């Protein structure tokens, strides 16, 4: 079967297994994610590749090398998704790696170094608030507090959900390094571009220079005072909706000013609302809950903006007689991709005659964790229509195969 057919069938199979009626749901450390790992593993075995699960319960597919003691080439991405997401965020990188390893094996190519494909779990922060859980677990970067975070749907703890799928939670909680960064020659991750830049440029492929970091809160509460909407005059109100609306307007102004100063920054409050059991047309809202997320390529910009955010919260408390309760702040640092590997990927695109430019990644990726752990890391972006984290993600298979060809060229070159 051609690579096109294997890839197409596997994307279709994943959509069939994890479609939710609206989009795709492969909850981190949940059933959809496990179904996806199993589906990829089945095809890997059909292609004659060795498969295993690592200490963090991620899928690992191996093409053995003639010199197994050499540091191995690692590729892949994640197999979970946001709720009602698309079929390509994460899965494209895993299927790309599978097509590369499958083709090399079919051609009888024996690499010097082993080549490993990772189908990682838990990259999305939607379920537990923390991003990159599957890769962080491997590098000893999860704490007991992280593992006690409750899932947004079942309220089971992350540790329990990880244990359910076979992860060695006690070792993870001790911060053991379950994967030795020194054994990994390179981390190569193909991913759909989740913004509109490649489409605007008319190019199928981008080479990533760096990945934005972020500061997040899953749920901040603004506590005001509930009351009768007709009976209380403006000057005696402590309306939590007006207070949070003013907060958002103020941080939007700071955001714009920082952009005008040339800073890199994006800000989002994706979960935002009054408490459904309490809210009513005729009731002054006494309680608003919202998420906070700021992302930047710059650690300093993130910190400065976060301080501004907190000081605006304090000033609104004083002016409007409300209070803000903050849950745990969650950080993911920005990361820079490896210059030598960026050049290698660019050389691969050149030798294949594919025009490709360097570009930063606004979205987060496991490559940030590998890079921070000291593994030289690089990423290939593939053009994708309709954005991402929604059911309309749309990648042309022709573009995907160009990305696969670039990945294969770079891996083959490094594996000889
Ligand atoms: C991962 O998809 C992210 O939130 O950037
Ligand atoms: Mn995502
Ligand atoms: Mn992703």
């Amino acid at each position: 079967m051609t690579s096109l057919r294997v890839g197409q069938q596997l994307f279709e199979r994943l959509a069939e297994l994890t479609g939710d009626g609206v989009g795709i749901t492969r909850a981190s450390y949940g059933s959809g994610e496990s179904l996806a790992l199993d589906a990829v593993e089945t095809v890997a075995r059909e292609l004659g590749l060795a498969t295993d699960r690592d200490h963090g319960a991620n899928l690992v597919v191996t093409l053995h090398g003639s010199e197994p003691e050499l540091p191995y080439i690692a590729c892949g991405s994640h197999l979970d998704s946001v709720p009602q997401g698309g079929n390509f965020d994460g899965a494209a990188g895993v299927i790309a790696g599978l097509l590369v390893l499958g083709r090399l094996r079919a051609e009888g190519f024996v690499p010097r170094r082993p080549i490993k494909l990772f189908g990682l779990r838990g990259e999305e922060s939607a379920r537990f608030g923390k991003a990159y859980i599957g890769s962080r677990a491997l590098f000893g970067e999860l704490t007991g507090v992280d593992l006690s975070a409750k899932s947004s749907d079942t309220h089971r703890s992350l540790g329990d959900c990880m244990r359910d799928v076979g992860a060695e939670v006690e070792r993870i909680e001790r911060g053991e390094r379950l994967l030795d960064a020194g054994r990994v020659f390179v981390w190569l991750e193909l991913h759909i571009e989740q913004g509109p830049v490649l489409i605007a440029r008319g190019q199928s492929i981008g080479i990533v220079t760096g990945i934005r970091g972020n500061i997040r809160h899953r749920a901040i509460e603004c506590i005001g005072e509930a009351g009768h909407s007709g009976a209380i005059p403006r000057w005696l109100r402590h309306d939590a909706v007006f207070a949070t609306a003013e907060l958002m307007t103020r941080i939007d102004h700071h955001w714009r000013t920082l952009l005008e100063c040339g800073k890199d920054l994006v800000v989002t409050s994706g979960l935002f609302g009054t408490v459904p059991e309490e809210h009513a047309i005729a009731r002054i809202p006494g309680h608003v809950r919202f998420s906070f997320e700021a992302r930047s390529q710059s650690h300093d910009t993130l910190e400065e903006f976060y301080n501004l955010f907190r000081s605006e919260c304090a000033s609104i408390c004083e002016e409007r007689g409300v209070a803000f309760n903050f849950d745990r702040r969650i950080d993911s640092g920005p990361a820079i991709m490896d210059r030598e590997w960026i050049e290698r990927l660019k050389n691969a695109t050149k030798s294949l005659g594919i025009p490709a430019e360097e570009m930063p990644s606004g979205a987060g990726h496991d490559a940030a964790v590998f890079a921070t752990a000291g593994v030289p890391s690089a990423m290939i972006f593939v053009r994708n229509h309709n954005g991402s984290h929604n059911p309309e993600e749309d990648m042309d298979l022709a573009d995907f195969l160009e990305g696969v060809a670039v990945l294969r060229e770079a891996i083959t070159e490094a594996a000889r």
Side-chain angles (χ1 to χ4, degrees):
M1 222 190 309
T2 62
S3 284
L4 171 64
R5 206 61 207 114
V6 176
Q8 204 166 29
Q9 280 186 359
L10 193 43
F11 281 124
E12 282 166 10
R13 181 83 185 123
L14 290 183
E16 197 178 281
L17 287 169
T18 61
D20 56 25
V22 179
I24 297 291
T25 298
R26 305 194 267 262
S28 315
Y29 301 95
S31 57
E33 180 190 72
S34 291
L35 285 169
L37 264 75
D38 292 346
V40 173
E41 182 165 37
T42 302
V43 177
R45 288 191 182 147
E46 286 165 8
L47 295 172
L49 297 162
T51 73
D52 202 355
R53 302 294 167 111
D54 65 18
H55 303 296
N58 303 294
L59 171 65
V60 185
V61 179
T62 305
L63 179 65
H64 295 295
S66 58
E67 296 179 46
E69 69 289 348
L70 286 180
Y72 57 85
I73 295 169
C75 64
S77 190
H78 61 99
L79 283 169
D80 60 330
S81 78
V82 295
Q84 297 185 357
N87 202 25
F88 300 113
D89 175 3
V94 180
I95 295 180
L98 185 66
L99 298 187
V100 171
L101 269 64
R103 165 110 174 247
L104 294 179
R105 150 116 196 148
E107 289 171 351
F109 177 83
V110 180
R112 271 179 67 219
R113 312 176 171 278
I115 309 174
K116 288 184 186 284
L117 162 68
F118 286 75
L120 295 165
R121 293 183 181 266
E123 190 270 349
E124 299 289 358
S125 55
R127 195 167 183 224
F128 295 100
K130 186 121 185 163
Y132 319 143
I133 300 168
S135 49
R136 286 196 216 241
L138 298 179
F139 292 111
E141 281 184 27
L142 294 179
T143 63
V145 177
D146 293 327
L147 292 164
S148 64
K150 296 279 187 282
S151 85
S152 55
D153 44 10
T154 62
H155 304 291
R156 238 171 118 60
S157 74
L158 171 61
D160 287 345
C161 294
M162 291 182 86
R163 198 174 285 109
D164 289 346
V165 298
E168 296 178 34
V169 177
E170 283 65 35
R171 297 181 67 190
I172 292 170
E173 184 160 9
R174 282 200 296 272
E176 278 187 39
R177 287 205 146 215
L178 302 173
L179 191 155
D180 176 2
R183 294 284 306 140
V184 189
F185 186 60
V186 63
W187 170 258
L188 294 173
E189 182 166 356
L190 177 147
H191 203 282
I192 53 167
E193 194 223 341
Q194 294 168 284
V197 177
L198 289 172
I199 290 175
R201 290 206 175 125
Q203 289 188 348
S204 56
I205 300 296
I207 307 298
V208 176
T209 49
I211 298 172
R212 277 188 179 135
N214 60 66
I215 298 178
R216 288 177 170 147
H217 285 275
R218 290 179 89 182
I220 300 171
E221 289 179 319
C222 176
I223 312 291
E225 197 171 86
H228 192 292
S229 63
I232 305 180
R234 188 179 189 281
W235 64 282
L236 287 175
R237 288 185 184 219
H238 306 287
D239 184 322
V241 164
F242 275 79
T244 43
E246 181 172 357
L247 174 66
M248 292 302 154
T249 307
R250 288 194 196 181
I251 65 174
D252 185 33
H253 286 153
H254 288 304
W255 178 12
R256 203 176 58 202
T257 306
L258 287 166
L259 291 182
E260 283 163 2
C261 296
K263 310 278 188 191
D264 175 60
L265 184 67
V266 285
V267 187
T268 307
S269 180
L271 297 166
F272 192 107
T274 52
V275 177
E277 299 77 42
E278 289 176 6
H279 58 207
I281 291 185
R283 177 183 167 120
I284 298 167
H287 196 173
V288 165
R289 194 178 292 149
F290 61 99
S291 61
F292 169 86
E293 183 198 78
R295 301 194 191 211
S296 177
Q297 306 276 349
S298 154
H299 177 269
D300 291 349
T301 302
L302 280 178
E303 286 301 332
E304 283 162 22
F305 185 71
Y306 185 72
N307 289 339
L308 273 173
F309 166 66
R310 291 298 293 249
S311 80
E312 288 298 5
C313 289
S315 125
I316 286 171
C317 284
E318 214 163 282
E319 289 164 29
R320 288 184 173 267
V322 296
F324 287 97
N325 293 337
F326 296 89
D327 67 344
R328 191 163 76 103
R329 166 181 156 162
I330 302 174
D331 286 47
S332 296
I336 304 286
M337 297 295 96
D338 185 79
R339 181 38 59 187
E340 188 187 324
W341 276 95
I342 291 173
E343 295 304 329
R344 287 192 189 211
L345 290 177
K346 283 169 69 181
N347 289 340
T349 58
K350 267 184 218 132
S351 70
L352 292 163
I354 300 170
E357 272 178 55
E358 294 184 20
M359 59 191 291
S361 170
H365 303 287
D366 291 294
V369 175
F370 282 83
T372 305
V375 176
S377 300
M379 290 191 72
I380 301 163
F381 267 178
V382 177
R383 172 168 54 191
N384 162 65
H385 301 262
N386 308 329
S388 180
H389 285 188
N390 73 63
E392 312 304 328
E393 279 177 4
D394 188 13
M395 172 187 69
D396 288 345
L397 276 176
D399 289 348
F400 173 65
L401 290 181
E402 289 196 353
V404 173
V406 175
L407 183 65
R408 186 173 60 239
E409 179 80 11
I411 286 182
T412 318
E413 192 61 35
R416 280 186 214 286

